[in-house]
Amino acid sequence: MMKVNASVTPALSGNIRSQERPPTEKLRSVQIEPQDPDIQYAQEMTISKHTVELSPEAYAKLTKQLSEDFAGHVKDFEQAQSALVTSLDLFEQFKAQQQAISPHLNLDRVDLAQKEDGTLKLVRGDLSGAQRSELEEALNGNDELKESFSKVHEGIQSVLQLHSSDFDSLTVEDLRGTLKLNELTEKYSRQFEPAGLGQNMPTIEDKISADPMLFFGMMVDAINPRVSIKV
């Protein structure tokens, strides 16, 4: 396992499975204790500060397991990409339908979040309490949007768990309430500008539907969990 001895800001080219604790307090900065330098793996692998020794059988087993785990993450990313595009499309359809019914409504600044129980909720925007309640009742009748946005949360969970072993205990419920659909998409899209990829991917759908590992790297930067590591 990788050891890091400085503050980390995730980047596309690295920081996969780096040392971080689970973000049980809404992805706030945390302190990490150093790992025990000596670990035995199934009596076949010994990891120390300086050497790694593997029998051929242990190496084959470990390689297979890592390959399967990685393939699982890539599949999760692909599902998240599709779900994110679907969520954006369905949310825009919902807002357009509601504005057609009530032209006075201004939903330009309204964003979408999800409660721990999976219920959808509207955040931000200039809405009265009664308007918000009425719209959320209609919103939660859209099972397809509810399901797709849930899959986005599952995909972000997989992104963070591949990024760092210390997100292994992160649950989808931990993420609910912290992710906002439009805000997340805007931050993700913004990561393409410094990388010079925006010209080749002019639409947000192009950016979201990029190579799954590019999606992973850009999403890590978009979420940008700050980590303070103590050695």
Side-chain angles (χ1 to χ4, degrees):
M1 185 173 296
M2 184 183 300
K3 282 186 174 293
V4 184
N5 58 5
S7 295
V8 175
T9 299
L12 173 63
S13 59
N15 295 319
I16 295 178
R17 309 292 287 177
S18 58
Q19 290 286 346
E20 300 168 353
R21 283 194 186 281
T24 55
E25 296 183 7
K26 309 302 182 185
L27 303 178
R28 293 175 181 172
S29 298
V30 292
Q31 296 291 321
I32 309 301
E33 296 296 334
Q35 185 187 27
D36 185 348
D38 297 302
I39 305 170
Q40 277 201 331
Y41 177 75
Q43 298 180 346
E44 296 172 308
M45 178 176 72
T46 301
I47 300 179
S48 69
K49 290 181 178 179
H50 305 292
T51 63
V52 177
E53 296 179 358
L54 288 170
S55 70
E57 294 79 9
Y59 180 79
K61 180 179 179 181
L62 181 60
T63 300
K64 180 181 178 181
Q65 184 63 54
L66 290 174
S67 178
E68 291 174 352
D69 290 347
F70 184 76
H73 281 293
V74 171
K75 183 178 179 180
D76 290 343
F77 300 159
E78 291 172 338
Q79 291 177 342
Q81 290 171 280
S82 176
L84 184 54
V85 171
T86 299
S87 297
L88 288 168
D89 184 49
L90 291 176
F91 189 45
E92 286 302 313
Q93 289 181 31
F94 170 79
K95 291 192 294 182
Q97 291 167 356
Q98 295 303 315
Q99 287 182 310
I101 296 170
S102 304
H104 63 282
L105 281 175
N106 182 358
L107 302 179
D108 292 343
R109 296 179 60 249
V110 173
D111 210 339
L112 181 68
Q114 195 167 32
K115 299 179 182 179
E116 287 189 10
D117 63 359
T119 302
L120 299 175
K121 66 176 182 177
L122 297 174
V123 294
R124 300 172 180 166
D126 300 322
L127 297 173
S128 67
Q131 288 174 328
R132 196 177 298 272
S133 296
E134 184 177 349
L135 289 170
E136 286 181 347
E137 183 177 355
L139 183 67
N140 280 286
N142 192 329
D143 291 334
E144 187 179 1
L145 176 54
K146 191 179 298 184
E147 181 181 358
S148 65
F149 199 34
S150 292
K151 289 181 179 178
V152 171
H153 284 70
E154 293 168 6
I156 299 303
Q157 176 193 27
S158 187
V159 164
L160 290 170
Q161 288 178 340
L162 180 61
H163 170 62
S164 167
S165 61
D166 286 293
F167 288 110
D168 283 349
S169 63
L170 177 73
T171 66
V172 171
E173 287 72 24
D174 292 326
L175 291 172
R176 285 178 176 162
T178 69
L179 300 182
K180 300 175 182 63
L181 177 62
N182 290 338
E183 178 186 74
L184 176 67
T185 303
E186 180 182 354
K187 289 182 177 179
Y188 169 80
S189 181
R190 202 181 300 153
Q191 303 310 309
F192 285 75
E193 297 172 8
L197 297 173
Q199 295 179 351
N200 298 326
M201 300 177 185
T203 70
I204 184 59
E205 289 80 9
D206 291 334
K207 295 178 177 69
I208 294 172
S209 303
D211 178 86
M213 290 310 296
L214 181 60
F215 173 83
F216 159 76
M218 294 301 189
M219 189 58 77
V220 166
D221 284 347
I223 300 170
N224 196 20
R226 296 181 179 178
V227 183
S228 177
I229 298 178
K230 182 170 60 179
V231 295

